[in-house]
Amino acid sequence: MVGLDIEPGYLAAAQVSVNGAVAVERAATAPLEPGVMRDGEVADVEALGEALKEFFSEHDLPKRVRLGVANQRIVVRNLELPNLTDPKELDAAVRFQAQEHLPMQLDLAVLDYRSLGVVETEGGERQRVVLVAARRDMIDRLLDGARQAGLRPEGIDLSAFAMIRALGRPRAEGEGALLYVSVGGLTNLAIAEGTQCRFTRVAAGGLESIVAQLAERRALTLEHSRQWLSHVGLEAPVETVEGDPEIVAESRTVLSDGIRRIADDVRNSLDYFRAQESVVVVDGAVVTGPAVGVPGFVDQLAADLNMRVEPGVVAGARPDVLGAADAGSMAIASGLAIEESPA
């Protein structure tokens, strides 16, 4: 099974093995032309099909894939229902509640849900269920692009859930929830207690929007813009970085401003979550995605958020596996390649 992460600006694919932890056996990444994906949705089905066909052929990847989805129109809700043991009764209860919680008609949506277990409430035992819904046309366009490339989609999952599967860990006694943030074509955010997702949200901006901004300001190609941002980073003093001084200074400015915007988005999401789930304490963050490869990105985000932040990367099964594919870029793809968290 290949986990396939399709985001604005890039593709990432991974095959993994699991022995207590996720280890990448094969990995591949490639840039994706602008306009193919827009805000996490497929904008050009034919172009996506061509890009995927070339990508899988070049890297000789198996055709069975599990796809990830992440965009602002996907709805995730936590429901509390009567403690129903009959699967048919639970399904009916979820669909009945969904009508009240979803901003879309049920016949136009694809729904899925999973029980998170039974909780004690003032009204007695209740079953907590996480519900995910997406517009059917959105899912159909993603599947059409994959099938036009000759791929065989075995499943579709929320990219946030895959991120937690790849990077999550069991919750220690007294430990709060962790914030997971993938910064790539989008900023994909999730809050989890152990490996159980409690909240997720997607912001349109990410590293690719910073790349595009620098490219526009300095008349660079997107690839050159990515290279400049990685070269300049946020660690070395600007005057010591080699290269065109104007591009170096612009890269630093665009990068610093972009991280502040991402931090604002993350902070707003945290404030919203805390207002809804006041009993859950978020006491740390894990940052993953291509942004992890930019020197100083994680430290600057930690400073802007004023909280403990660590990089989240997956390991290669062998030293040469990841190669040019950044370990942060592989996190979501690796999580998509497995169905259950190793933890």
Side-chain angles (χ1 to χ4, degrees):
M1 181 74 70
V2 173
L4 178 57
D5 182 22
I6 306 172
E7 297 199 25
Y10 76 97
L11 303 169
Q15 283 184 286
V16 306
S17 58
V18 180
N19 186 13
V22 173
V24 179
E25 295 284 351
R26 295 182 66 190
T29 60
L32 187 62
E33 290 296 319
V36 178
M37 298 288 291
R38 188 172 297 120
D39 296 334
E41 297 187 45
V42 180
D44 189 331
V45 174
E46 288 71 25
L48 177 61
E50 284 299 317
L52 289 174
K53 186 175 182 179
E54 182 178 337
F55 179 57
F56 273 69
S57 175
E58 179 182 347
H59 296 283
D60 194 25
L61 294 166
K63 300 298 178 68
R64 291 177 62 239
V65 297
R66 185 176 291 112
L67 304 164
V69 289
N71 60 65
Q72 293 174 313
R73 294 205 299 161
I74 293 172
V75 180
V76 181
R77 295 285 186 270
N78 286 309
L79 309 178
E80 285 191 2
L81 305 170
N83 186 15
L84 302 169
T85 57
D86 185 284
K88 290 183 179 179
E89 292 182 357
L90 178 61
D91 185 77
V94 169
R95 293 181 180 279
F96 179 77
Q97 288 266 10
Q99 297 178 78
E100 301 178 11
H101 289 84
L102 299 181
M104 64 185 84
Q105 294 177 284
L106 291 191
D107 59 344
L108 300 178
V110 178
L111 303 181
D112 201 2
Y113 61 90
R114 175 169 291 192
S115 173
L116 301 179
V118 177
V119 294
E120 286 290 341
T121 70
E122 293 180 357
E125 288 188 345
R126 303 284 284 176
Q127 186 165 181
R128 179 171 287 163
V129 171
V130 60
L131 170 71
V132 183
R135 289 187 62 89
R136 188 173 298 278
D137 59 342
M138 175 203 309
I139 300 300
D140 286 344
R141 290 175 69 82
L142 180 63
L143 290 172
D144 287 346
R147 287 169 178 152
Q148 284 189 23
L151 306 183
R152 297 193 298 275
E154 298 285 336
I156 298 177
D157 201 2
L158 206 61
S159 295
F161 294 171
M163 174 167 56
I164 296 168
R165 278 201 298 275
L167 303 173
R169 52 190 182 232
R171 186 184 181 197
E173 186 73 28
E175 186 180 34
L178 272 179
L179 166 69
Y180 294 85
V181 186
S182 176
V183 184
L186 304 159
T187 296
N188 196 356
L189 177 149
I191 295 172
E193 291 182 279
T195 58
Q196 189 175 101
C197 184
R198 296 293 299 273
F199 174 82
T200 180
R201 177 173 281 182
V202 173
L207 182 62
E208 283 302 306
S209 62
I210 301 174
V211 168
Q213 188 175 19
L214 177 62
E216 183 177 348
R217 288 190 183 186
R218 303 306 307 178
L220 302 171
T221 66
L222 292 175
E223 186 57 34
H224 283 150
S225 180
R226 292 186 190 98
Q227 292 171 358
W228 273 108
L229 291 174
S230 295
H231 172 64
V232 175
L234 291 154
E235 293 178 341
V238 173
E239 59 273 13
T240 66
V241 179
E242 295 182 357
D244 184 318
E246 292 186 359
I247 298 181
V248 169
E250 192 79 69
S251 298
R252 179 62 59 86
T253 298
V254 167
L255 196 50
S256 298
D257 291 346
I259 294 176
R260 275 193 289 272
R261 287 194 300 273
I262 291 169
D264 286 342
D265 285 335
V266 172
R267 199 178 296 111
N268 290 338
S269 295
L270 276 172
D271 289 344
Y272 178 83
F273 172 76
R274 287 165 175 155
Q276 307 297 313
E277 299 277 354
S278 57
V279 296
V280 179
V281 177
V282 179
D283 57 11
V286 176
V287 175
T288 192
V292 173
V294 177
F297 189 101
V298 174
D299 291 339
Q300 186 60 55
L301 188 61
D304 288 348
L305 291 174
N306 192 30
M307 69 187 303
R308 174 177 57 87
V309 179
E310 61 187 76
V313 297
V314 289
R318 300 173 304 281
D320 62 338
V321 168
L322 291 174
D326 177 77
S329 301
M330 284 296 116
I332 288 177
S334 297
L336 291 168
I338 56 177
E339 292 189 26
E340 299 292 339
S341 171

